[in-house]
Amino acid sequence: MNRSLGRFLNGLCRGAASIVLLGAAVSCNLLEGSPYDARVTGETDVNTRNIARIEHALSGKTSFRFAFISDTQRWYDETEAFVNHLNGRDDVDFVLHGGDVSDFGVTEEFLWQRDILGELRVPYVVLLGNHDVLGNGVRVYRRVFGEENFSFMAGDVKFICLNTNALEFDYSDPIPDFNFIKTQLNDENPIYRRTIYAMHVAPGDEQFNNNVADIFHYYVRSSRGILCALYGHGHAFVEADKFGDGILYYETPCIGKRFYLMFTVNEEGYTYEPVYF
């Protein structure tokens, strides 16, 4: 049995055990051993620290390269293979992870993935995926990685990273958070010239609140120097002009397919290439 399968089955069994406990519990003491207890050991607030590294390294730069991966969840061996592969390159500035580091929202899943990705020689940031919302996953994600809506600068490009998992929140929260988006677009920082959006699910998916898809599109196309939008979730490679206005949305597959997208951004715009490892 490989490590990915072993960890996956362990997470599944722990999750099932948790459900049994939840049904039988008559006091909080019975839940102290739950994998959903959100008690985190080791490194926390990963995104904030790595964003500081990215912004410092790329300050004043007019070109950079980043790898876009997503949906590592149950594929631990493949994630380790990706880390080893990327560490063998010297032409990548950072890694952007499109979400779903966990499959069941189990605390250990977040910690296993954090520790594997933490071996990268370059900084990485992780978005919130729909599977990461299960159980107490949001609490664990916030503790390990940070807030689910965040942004950072790479050279003159602002990456606006969004929680778009509306279905998992029962449409009870404003997702996407348009107030957050408006604040980002009103940023008067003189170095902010261009924009890339990143999210786990894209407009048109059942997880997205498609009642507000047109409003979301309005903000995207109104963004300063919009380059493209990136997402994961579907476990396949897709390049699509979702609103017919020339703004391309790129879906990267799950890491289980041993595939990622490499983006190069320069003064002329951007290019990308699919990479198998």
Side-chain angles (χ1 to χ4, degrees):
M1 180 184 297
N2 66 31
R3 281 178 291 177
S4 288
L5 180 58
R7 282 166 164 162
F8 169 71
L9 292 175
N10 181 56
L12 180 62
C13 291
R14 294 290 301 273
S18 176
I19 292 171
V20 172
L21 285 172
L22 286 170
V26 293
S27 77
C28 293
N29 292 333
L30 291 177
L31 297 178
E32 287 182 356
S34 168
Y36 297 111
D37 62 14
R39 286 180 288 188
V40 171
T41 58
E43 187 181 9
T44 59
D45 210 15
V46 169
N47 285 349
T48 298
R49 276 195 290 277
N50 282 337
I51 284 171
R53 292 174 60 194
I54 294 169
E55 293 185 333
H56 175 74
L58 297 181
S59 176
K61 298 290 182 66
T62 58
S63 64
F64 58 88
R65 304 188 84 192
F66 68 94
F68 180 45
I69 65 172
S70 192
D71 299 82
T72 53
Q73 44 205 152
R74 72 194 68 159
W75 291 287
Y76 298 96
D77 290 344
E78 290 81 0
T79 306
E80 289 178 348
F82 165 76
V83 169
N84 291 333
H85 159 82
L86 205 77
N87 283 345
R89 301 184 62 147
D90 61 1
D91 60 346
V92 185
D93 293 291
F94 64 91
V95 173
L96 180 63
H97 189 306
D100 273 0
V101 292
S102 77
D103 214 16
F104 305 101
V106 172
T107 301
E108 281 108 333
E109 293 179 301
F110 290 91
L111 305 186
W112 289 332
Q113 290 284 354
R114 177 205 62 193
D115 291 346
I116 294 170
L117 293 168
E119 295 298 317
L120 284 164
R121 294 178 181 173
V122 297
Y124 72 98
V125 295
V126 177
L127 279 73
L128 181 74
N130 63 305
H131 281 261
D132 300 328
V133 178
L134 301 178
N136 281 331
V138 175
R139 290 176 58 198
V140 180
Y141 172 89
R142 288 173 178 163
R143 179 74 173 141
V144 175
F145 296 109
E147 291 300 314
E148 56 265 37
N149 294 300
F150 62 94
S151 69
F152 64 94
M153 295 296 301
D156 65 355
V157 180
K158 174 174 281 195
F159 283 74
I160 299 178
C161 303
L162 301 172
N163 171 20
T164 54
N165 307 290
L167 182 62
E168 294 297 341
F169 286 84
D170 299 321
Y171 302 102
S172 57
D173 291 341
I175 298 172
D177 187 335
F178 292 114
N179 287 329
F180 176 81
I181 295 173
K182 285 189 289 186
T183 298
Q184 298 306 309
L185 299 185
N186 289 332
D187 184 355
E188 296 181 356
N189 186 339
I191 69 170
Y192 169 30
R193 294 178 49 243
R194 298 181 289 175
T195 310
I196 290 176
Y197 281 83
M199 64 207 79
H200 184 64
V201 296
D205 188 273
E206 66 176 5
Q207 285 280 338
F208 195 92
N209 183 358
N210 290 297
N211 294 311
V212 298
D214 288 341
I215 302 172
F216 179 77
H217 175 222
Y218 168 81
Y219 282 111
V220 170
R221 63 185 171 86
S222 300
S223 302
R224 202 174 309 174
I226 180 67
L227 293 175
C228 61
L230 311 174
Y231 68 103
H233 182 61
H235 295 199
F237 168 62
V238 176
E239 176 187 331
D241 182 348
K242 289 186 173 290
F243 295 97
D245 60 356
I247 299 172
L248 295 177
Y249 285 66
Y250 297 94
E251 177 185 330
T252 195
C254 64
I255 206 69
K257 296 186 178 179
R258 300 178 69 95
F259 175 110
Y260 66 93
L261 295 177
M262 178 68 73
F263 283 84
T264 301
V265 179
N266 54 37
E267 291 178 306
E268 286 72 42
Y270 72 92
T271 59
Y272 79 93
E273 59 178 312
V275 181
Y276 290 89
F277 62 93

